[in-house]
């Protein structure tokens, strides 16, 4: 792969693909974590007099957090301390004119890339290369720089389409992400503990299967919906409220798969011994084996309980390598952030080399000022795909571009 510092950007137009897709509440972006993560690359490009064209997606069509990138431009602008222009267009005439009129050291934010139909679908690189998006912008740009690690599992035009047309260069964030994730995955140190939470159950099962089968994990601690599926697969009842919630989300069918993993690796997959629910306006913790278990028929599980947190903390203290993805519960609600925050804190306090990710859930690391985590990944699904042993289309595109352009003058 190329290195960012190998090129001369003076007066060159750089398409900078970032992933600034961020959590939103009442129409407002509530975390700038992904913006801060790309600042070193953006600053480097601006300091070296590039004309920087930023592209990002925000959510997907019909979702509540599917927004224009006007706010993204404002946030980036206030973090950089310079104007970030915004154009309400992706690759049409307005966008192209705005790009062409940029001066060295100036920066422009394109509209939400997923406002363009081509960007909402995945297709092989050859097809992405032939999209209107790529064909219209290609004549205007000299280099592509990418820090969109969080979208690295997607094969979409803005991510992979330029690979054979322009030198595609990883930014500082991309480089850091790949270095840290490879270190955690390839390390020979033991014990290696994986903490899998959140709602991406299928992706997490893929990770569990891959890391256990290939000797990359010694133990898996579960939380979130991942733990509910494994708990059910172990034969425990989680009550009507939870079963019907999992059914609605189409997750019940994954119990068989979880059972297969347990048949092979039972002692290496830990599930919570207690869970927290909301009862009469309060956090109530219920032991999985207690006679208060009826509560699960009425109240959905919102978090792991304190006994589980304690057990997980003890295990994490002894770890050499920790990989964690996704929250332990509904961390957006204060009373139910406890599991997520305490587990992330325990990871920070351990001496292990630790990588923590999970898309929007990493916002809680900043909110609760949790220190000591070796690498906070900006990736959610991308991080899971990596640890599931899958090839990431964006990483493959960077390699293809390097092979194609490595001999050109920089
Ligand atoms: C993410 O938050 O995981 C990335 O921005 C990718 O988003 P996507 O899952 O909508 O492609």
């Amino acid at each position: 792969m190329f290195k960012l510092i190998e090129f001369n950007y003076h007066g060159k137009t750089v398409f900078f693909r970032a992933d600034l897709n961020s959590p939103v509440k009442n129409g407002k972006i509530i975390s700038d974590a992904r913006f801060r993560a790309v600042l070193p690359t953006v600053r480097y490009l601006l300091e070296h007099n590039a004309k920087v064209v930023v592209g990002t997606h925000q959510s997907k069509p019909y979702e509540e957090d599917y927004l224009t990138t006007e706010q993204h431009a404002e946030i980036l602008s206030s973090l950089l301390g310079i104007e970030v222009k915004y154009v309400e267009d992706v690759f049409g005439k307005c966008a192209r004119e705005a790009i062409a009129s940029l001066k060295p050291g100036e920066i422009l934010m394109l509209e939400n890339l997923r406002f363009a139909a081509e960007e909402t679908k995945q297709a092989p690189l050859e097809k992405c290369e032939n999209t209107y998006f790529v064909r219209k912008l290609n004549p205007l740009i000299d280099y592509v720089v990418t820090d969109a690690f969080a979208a690295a599992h997607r094969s979409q035009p803005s991510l992979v389409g330029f690979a054979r047309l322009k030198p595609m260069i990883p930014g500082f964030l991309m480089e850091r992400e790949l270095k840290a994730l490879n270190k955690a995955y390839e390390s020979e140190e033991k014990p290696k503990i994986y903490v899998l939470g959140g709602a991406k159950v299928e992706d997490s099962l893929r990770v569990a299967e891959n890391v256990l089968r290939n000797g990359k994990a010694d133990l898996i601690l579960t939380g979130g919906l991942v733990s509910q599926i494994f708990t059910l697969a172990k034969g425990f009842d989680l009550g009507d409220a939870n079963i019907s919630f999992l059914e609605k989300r189409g997750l019940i069918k994954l119990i068989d798969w979880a059972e297969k993993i347990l048949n092979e690796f039972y002692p290496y997959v830990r599930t919570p011994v207690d869970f927290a629910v909301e009862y009469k306006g309060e956090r109530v913790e219920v032991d999985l084996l207690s006679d208060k278990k009826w509560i699960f028929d009425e109240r959905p599980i919102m978090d792991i309980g304190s006994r589980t947190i304690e057990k997980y903390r003890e295990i994490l203290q002894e770890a050499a390598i920790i990989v964690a993805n996704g929250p332990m519960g509904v961390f957006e609600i204060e009373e139910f952030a406890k599991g997520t925050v305490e587990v992330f804190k325990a990871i920070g306090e351990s001496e292990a080399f630790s990588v923590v990710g999970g898309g929007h859930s990493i916002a809680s690391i900043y909110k609760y000022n949790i220190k000591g985590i070796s690498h906070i990944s900006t990736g959610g699904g991308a991080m899971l795909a990596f640890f599931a042993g899958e090839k990431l289309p964006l990483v493959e595109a960077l390699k293809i571009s390097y092979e194609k352009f490595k001999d050109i003058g920089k």
Side-chain angles (χ1 to χ4, degrees):
M1 274 187 218
F2 288 119
K3 287 217 174 300
L4 191 68
I5 54 168
E6 288 173 343
F7 288 80
N8 178 2
Y9 299 101
H10 191 94
K12 303 285 187 196
T13 304
V14 174
F15 174 58
F16 177 58
R17 178 55 162 103
D19 184 342
L20 304 177
N21 178 25
S22 300
V24 169
K25 206 172 177 183
N26 304 325
K28 287 255 166 292
I29 290 175
I30 53 166
S31 164
D32 61 6
R34 283 188 174 173
F35 293 79
R36 289 183 185 274
V38 302
L39 288 179
T41 306
V42 178
R43 286 203 180 108
Y44 184 86
L45 292 171
L46 292 172
E47 277 160 17
H48 288 81
N49 284 316
K51 305 172 188 175
V52 181
V53 181
V54 187
T56 180
H57 67 278
Q58 170 64 41
S59 190
K60 39 175 96 69
Y62 307 109
E63 299 291 332
E64 243 177 74
D65 54 349
Y66 183 58
L67 306 175
T68 81
T69 49
E70 197 170 359
Q71 256 186 85
H72 299 70
E74 282 164 15
I75 294 171
L76 195 56
S77 189
S78 73
L79 289 172
L80 287 169
I82 62 163
E83 185 199 4
V84 174
K85 298 169 196 280
Y86 158 73
V87 61
E88 207 183 319
D89 190 12
V90 177
F91 61 76
K93 207 163 168 236
C94 291
R96 297 202 304 276
E97 278 175 7
I99 294 171
S101 62
L102 277 177
K103 296 191 181 62
E106 287 188 345
I107 173 166
L108 166 77
M109 172 81 64
L110 296 177
E111 184 50 283
N112 183 347
L113 299 178
R114 288 188 182 166
F115 280 18
E118 294 162 338
E119 192 70 18
T120 61
K121 282 201 172 175
Q122 300 208 66
L125 187 148
E126 306 74 52
K127 285 204 167 187
C128 289
E129 188 175 282
N130 242 323
T131 52
Y132 281 99
F133 174 81
V134 172
R135 283 190 283 153
K136 293 278 184 188
L137 293 191
N138 189 48
L140 294 170
I141 60 176
D142 298 296
Y143 299 125
V144 174
V145 172
T146 182
D147 262 346
F149 172 75
H153 56 318
R154 304 287 180 219
S155 187
Q156 289 164 339
S158 69
L159 292 159
V160 303
F162 294 106
R164 300 192 297 189
L165 307 174
K166 292 283 147 65
M168 238 178 97
I169 307 152
F172 294 131
L173 171 65
M174 189 76 191
E175 222 181 273
R176 238 178 351 107
E177 291 273 15
L178 294 177
K179 198 169 157 206
L181 271 60
N182 275 306
K183 179 172 170 180
Y185 191 66
E186 298 299 346
S187 169
E188 298 291 330
E189 283 181 71
K190 278 175 176 291
K192 288 198 203 189
I193 313 289
Y194 278 62
V195 185
L196 300 176
K200 290 181 173 150
V201 182
E202 200 168 334
D203 296 344
S204 298
L205 293 182
R206 228 173 264 136
V207 173
E209 202 161 45
N210 178 55
V211 294
L212 287 169
R213 191 154 290 149
N214 292 302
K216 303 287 184 194
D218 299 299
L219 195 63
I220 293 185
L221 310 178
T222 61
L225 298 184
V226 181
S227 69
Q228 294 187 32
I229 292 300
F230 271 117
T231 303
L232 290 166
K234 284 185 174 178
F236 292 99
D237 182 13
L238 286 180
D240 293 346
N242 294 295
I243 307 276
S244 70
F245 177 79
L246 294 169
E247 244 160 18
K248 259 188 231 143
R249 296 193 64 145
L251 297 174
I252 290 290
K253 63 175 190 288
L254 298 176
I255 294 174
D256 286 349
W257 185 4
E259 220 176 297
K260 263 196 217 133
I261 296 173
L262 290 172
N263 284 342
E264 231 181 299
F265 304 105
Y266 195 96
Y268 309 113
V269 181
R270 299 286 163 85
T271 47
V273 290
D274 57 350
F275 289 102
V277 298
E278 186 265 325
Y279 189 65
K280 297 188 177 163
E282 276 178 28
R283 177 186 171 105
V284 172
E285 297 193 352
V286 180
D287 212 288
L288 198 54
L289 296 175
S290 86
D291 49 11
K292 278 203 283 172
K293 245 187 75 181
W294 57 265
I295 215 164
F296 295 137
D297 279 331
E298 291 172 18
R299 318 299 299 179
I301 289 167
M302 304 289 273
D303 196 9
I304 57 173
S306 302
R307 285 210 311 125
T308 306
I309 294 171
E310 217 27 65
K311 279 179 187 289
Y312 284 6
R313 188 201 307 281
E314 277 166 28
I315 292 167
L316 291 166
Q317 258 158 21
E318 303 301 316
I321 303 286
I322 301 171
V323 174
N325 190 295
M328 295 292 104
V330 188
F331 70 98
E332 296 90 342
I333 304 174
E334 199 85 27
E335 296 96 301
F336 301 106
K338 182 175 173 180
T340 305
V341 172
E342 293 302 318
V343 166
F344 284 173
K345 264 193 196 156
I347 295 172
E349 281 159 17
S350 92
E351 309 234 301
F353 176 76
S354 53
V355 175
V356 178
H360 296 177
S361 66
I362 61 157
S364 57
I365 293 174
Y366 299 103
K367 183 172 168 198
Y368 294 93
N369 200 20
I370 296 168
K371 299 275 184 246
I373 293 167
S374 316
H375 178 74
I376 300 168
S377 177
T378 50
M383 182 178 158
L384 288 171
F386 177 92
F387 287 109
E390 289 161 24
K391 282 203 158 126
L392 302 177
L394 179 55
V395 175
E396 295 310 301
L398 283 163
K399 290 182 192 159
I400 289 169
S401 196
Y402 177 76
E403 283 308 317
K404 170 116 203 220
F405 295 106
K406 66 181 179 209
D407 299 323
I408 60 148
K410 294 163 190 166

